[in-house]
Structures are given as C-alpha cells and as structure tokens.
C-alpha cells in the first residue's frame, strides 16, 4: 500500500499588507529595502479578527477535496500541523472535522513548528501504509500573526497567516518502475537547539543568524538523505517546493540541487513565512496554475523550531 496525492488546496485571508503598510500600522523602525533584501518578503496575509486557524484549514481542505473529487464521507483521518491551534483541545483537526461535516474516522494535531507539514505527511503516509486509514487530509494551518511581538522588528516582519491542505489516498503498490505518490519522508529533530526559535511568554523569539546557520546545512543533508533513499539523483528532481522562510535559504537549496529558478516554487515574497502552511500553500498554487502536474517528481523540505527538520519526496 502507498499514498497518492489526490488533491491540494490553499487558503489565504483577504487582508494583505506590504512591508511599508506593516511598518506604518505597527510603528516599526524598518524599511521595505531591509526586509526584502534579506528575506525576499514583500507582503503577507493576516487573518481577520475572529477568523480562526480551523476556519482557514477548513477552507484549504474544501479545495483539496474538490480537486480530488472526494466527498467528506471519504475522509478517514485529519492530521493537522499547527503552532497556532485555536485551543489546547479540542484539537484544530477536530474542529475542522466538525466544519467539514465529517462524522467518522479520527483527527489530531501535530506540533513541529515550520516542519509540521512534512511531519504530518510522514505520519499520514505511515498510517496509510500500515492500513490504519484509506485516506487522510493532511493540513498545515497557521494564524502566526497572533503570536508575534510587534515591538521585535527582527521577527515580526517575517511571518504571515494561511492554510494549505492535501488529500492522500491509499493505492495498491503494484511494483511499478515509477510509482506515483509519496516515495519517502525523512524526519529529524534536535532538542538541544530549542531555544534559538521558540514561543516564550506567548510570542515568537528567534536568534535569526543561528537559525540561518542550521537551516542550510540541515536542509541539505535531509535532501541528500531523501534522494539516496530512493536511488535518485539531483537531476531527477523536477520541482523543489520548500518551506518558505527566507528567499536566501530557498535559493541556496535550489542551487544545491542544480535547479533553474523556474523549477523552484516561491511564495515567500507574497505570503512571508506561514510556518506549517507554507509547503501545502505553495503546492496548491503550483498545481492550480498547472506548473506541477501528473508524473512530476516533487521534493519538499522544511526546518523549524525544535529544532525540527525534514524532507519528503513525492511523484504526482
Ligand atoms: N528592520 C531594520 N533593521 C533591522 C530589522 C528590521 N526589521 N531587524 C533587525 N534589524 C537590525 C538589527 O537590529 C541589527 O542592527 P545592529 O547591527 O545595529 O545591531 C541589524 O539589523 C542586523 O541584524 P541581524 O539580526 O544580525 O540581521 P541578519 O542579517 O541576520 O538578518 C534575518 C536577520 C532574520 C533576516 C536572518 O537572520 C534570517 O533570515 N534568519 C533565518 C530566519 C528564518 O528563516 N527563520 C525561520 C525558520 S523556520
């Protein structure tokens, strides 16, 4: 048994602020040039007052279900990655289950910060392979602007809100030469570095340079691991769909893989860092506009608080 990507979806709140608009609204001593030169970020979306993580997740999930031609009754499991759940419990996944009118199966959240979607994919794929469920909605959803310190200009300019979703379906593995679906996932964490990127006193605290230093080396090793596990070369990768934290990190990974820029899906300029939502949002955009299509080999990678990091390889 293996899991095939049956549909993807994304949701962004209606309100979008440029760097200048953000600076004006929060009285930040910063500039569009400082932010965009160091990070590639030009704007970000912000959830409306009262708009919850579950609301955004459900909207993204509806698009994934529609793209897959699946009804709510087909969903066995909802696995939702978030660092900004609406409450400790019920889980945001259970709230999404209710919003979608799903009456069976199970739902739970995963906490792995910006690596959350890769972790959720790993868990969902393992459960499908083990026969625990026949389909899974895998979601990354964040209202990150609710946990920012608006006096910390080095951090608050980096994040945004949104949600992305993917429906995985079980399919028989018939030993094809180029099987479709998730090929492998590779998950890592190292709790010794927990304090360089953490939520403390309800807000995000980050040692930016330290995080940057870990990001490039850890992502590179996760990517090498994913390719080696499948006997694939860098040149086999058709699309890099990375976590969208910083354009300099994304460009470094694209160069490492020898991919031309047009083969790297970038949303960080318009979405900023939406944490666990960034990979499925980018994938939803690239499938919607027809860039990523059936048979394409897609490499996903992410790093985040924990530290956590990982990679996933999938053939569409
Ligand atoms: N506007 C203007 N100046 C700012 C600023 C802002 N928004 N934020 C910080 N600065 C200033 C600092 O105060 C500092 O000034 P000083 O030299 O007078 O003390 C200067 O800019 C340099 O700060 P520093 O934090 O060293 O900048 P940097 O070059 O490391 O860039 C990041 C900061 C955050 C862009 C960069 O470290 C980074 O991208 N890190 C990775 C972050 C990441 O990807 N996190 C998510 C992982 S999931």
């Amino acid at each position: 048994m293996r899991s095939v990507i049956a549909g993807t979806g994304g949701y962004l709140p209606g309100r979008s602020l440029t760097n200048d608009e953000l600076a004006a609204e929060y009285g930040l001593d910063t500039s569009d040039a400082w932010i965009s030169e160091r990070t590639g970020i030009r704007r970000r979306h912000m959830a409306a007052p009262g708009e919850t993580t579950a609301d955004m997740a459900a909207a993204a999930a509806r698009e994934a279900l529609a793209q897959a031609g699946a009804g709510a009754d087909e969903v066995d499991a909802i696995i939702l990655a978030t660092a900004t759940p609406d409450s400790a419990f019920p889980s945001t996944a259970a709230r999404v289950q209710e919003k979608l009118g799903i009456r069976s199966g199970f739902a739970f959240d995963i906490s792995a910060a910006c690596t959350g979607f890769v972790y959720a994919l790993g868990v969902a794929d393992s459960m499908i392979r083990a026969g625990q469920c026949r389909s899974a909605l895998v979601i990354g959803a964040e209202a990150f602007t609710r946990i920012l310190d608006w006096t910390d200009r080095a951090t608050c300019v980096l994040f945004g809100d949104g949600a992305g979703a993917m429906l995985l379906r079980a399919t028989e593995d018939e030993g094809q030469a180029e099987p479709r679906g998730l090929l492998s996932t590779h998950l890592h964490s190292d709790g010794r570095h927990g304090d360089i990127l953490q939520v403390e006193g309800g807000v995000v605290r980050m040692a930016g340079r330290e995080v940057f230093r870990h990001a490039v080396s850890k992502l590179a090793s996760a990517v090498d691991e994913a390719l080696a596990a499948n006997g694939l070369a860098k040149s086999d990768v058709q699309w890099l769909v990375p976590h969208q934290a910083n354009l300099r990190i994304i460009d470094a990974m694209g160069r490492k893989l020898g991919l031309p820029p047009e083969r790297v899906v970038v949303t960080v300029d318009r979405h900023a860092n939406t944490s666990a939502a960034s990979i499925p949002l980018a994938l939803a955009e690239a499938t919607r506009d027809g860039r990523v299509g059936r048979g394409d080999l897609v490499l996903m990678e992410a790093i985040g608080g924990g530290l956590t990091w990982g990679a996933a390889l999938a053939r569409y």
Side-chain angles (χ1 to χ4, degrees):
M1 208 58 89
R2 57 171 56 247
S3 26
V4 165
I5 301 172
T8 55
Y11 172 82
L12 291 160
R15 186 159 188 248
S16 166
L17 275 81
T18 64
N19 292 336
D20 285 337
E21 287 164 349
L22 188 82
E25 179 149 338
Y26 291 94
L28 300 172
D29 178 16
T30 187
S31 65
D32 176 56
W34 193 97
I35 300 168
S36 59
E37 280 164 19
R38 280 171 186 75
T39 69
I41 295 166
R42 297 188 177 278
R43 51 196 313 138
R44 77 283 294 137
H45 290 257
M46 288 178 86
E51 186 171 37
T52 65
T53 299
D55 290 333
M56 294 189 281
R62 282 190 193 99
E63 188 188 356
L65 290 173
Q67 202 187 82
D73 55 350
E74 198 195 304
V75 177
D76 290 339
I78 303 173
I79 303 177
L80 187 149
T82 187
T84 50
D86 297 317
S87 54
F89 59 86
S91 66
T92 305
R95 292 193 188 275
V96 170
Q97 187 186 31
E98 192 272 327
K99 284 179 191 296
L100 297 179
I102 297 171
R103 299 282 174 264
S104 59
F106 56 91
F108 64 95
D109 288 359
I110 282 188
S111 167
C114 296
T115 320
F117 188 75
V118 174
Y119 269 56
L121 272 184
V123 172
D125 183 46
S126 301
M127 293 185 101
I128 285 175
R129 285 176 192 267
Q132 191 127 29
C133 52
R134 298 272 316 162
S135 69
L137 256 178
V138 186
I139 305 173
E142 303 281 11
F144 232 76
T145 61
R146 301 224 170 101
I147 58 164
L148 299 175
D149 173 357
W150 294 104
T151 65
D152 177 5
R153 65 178 180 173
T155 303
C156 70
V157 299
L158 304 176
F159 295 93
D161 301 334
M166 182 187 280
L167 182 71
L168 293 180
R169 255 191 202 129
T171 181
E172 298 297 332
D173 190 343
E174 288 160 352
Q176 304 96 317
E178 291 199 340
R180 288 181 61 218
L182 275 173
L183 304 186
S184 64
T185 52
H186 304 270
L187 312 182
H188 295 280
S189 64
D190 186 343
R192 288 175 302 171
H193 307 299
D195 56 359
I196 65 171
L197 178 51
Q198 62 177 332
V199 175
E200 196 185 20
V203 293
V204 179
R205 298 280 174 224
M206 181 174 71
R209 292 222 163 165
E210 277 293 287
V211 173
F212 197 99
R213 197 171 60 75
H214 284 287
V216 178
S217 62
K218 290 189 163 52
L219 291 173
S221 73
V223 162
D224 286 340
E225 185 187 353
L227 292 173
N230 293 283
L232 292 167
K234 290 174 186 167
S235 55
D236 293 318
V237 175
Q238 280 151 304
W239 295 99
L240 175 63
V241 184
H243 169 48
Q244 309 279 324
N246 181 306
L247 193 58
R248 287 188 298 169
I249 299 173
I250 293 171
D251 285 346
M253 296 308 295
R255 279 197 304 276
K256 177 190 159 53
L257 289 162
L259 282 172
E262 62 273 18
R263 288 273 158 183
V264 181
V265 179
V266 175
T267 58
V268 70
D269 52 331
R270 289 156 291 128
H271 302 177
N273 181 347
T274 58
S275 189
S278 87
I279 289 178
L281 262 172
L283 206 47
E285 187 174 287
T287 38
R288 224 183 268 139
D289 66 21
R291 270 178 291 169
V292 175
R294 191 155 177 151
D296 287 353
L297 188 70
V298 176
L299 177 59
M300 298 164 257
E301 39 83 342
I303 184 162
L307 283 179
T308 54
W309 68 99
L313 258 177
R315 195 179 306 280
Y316 243 72

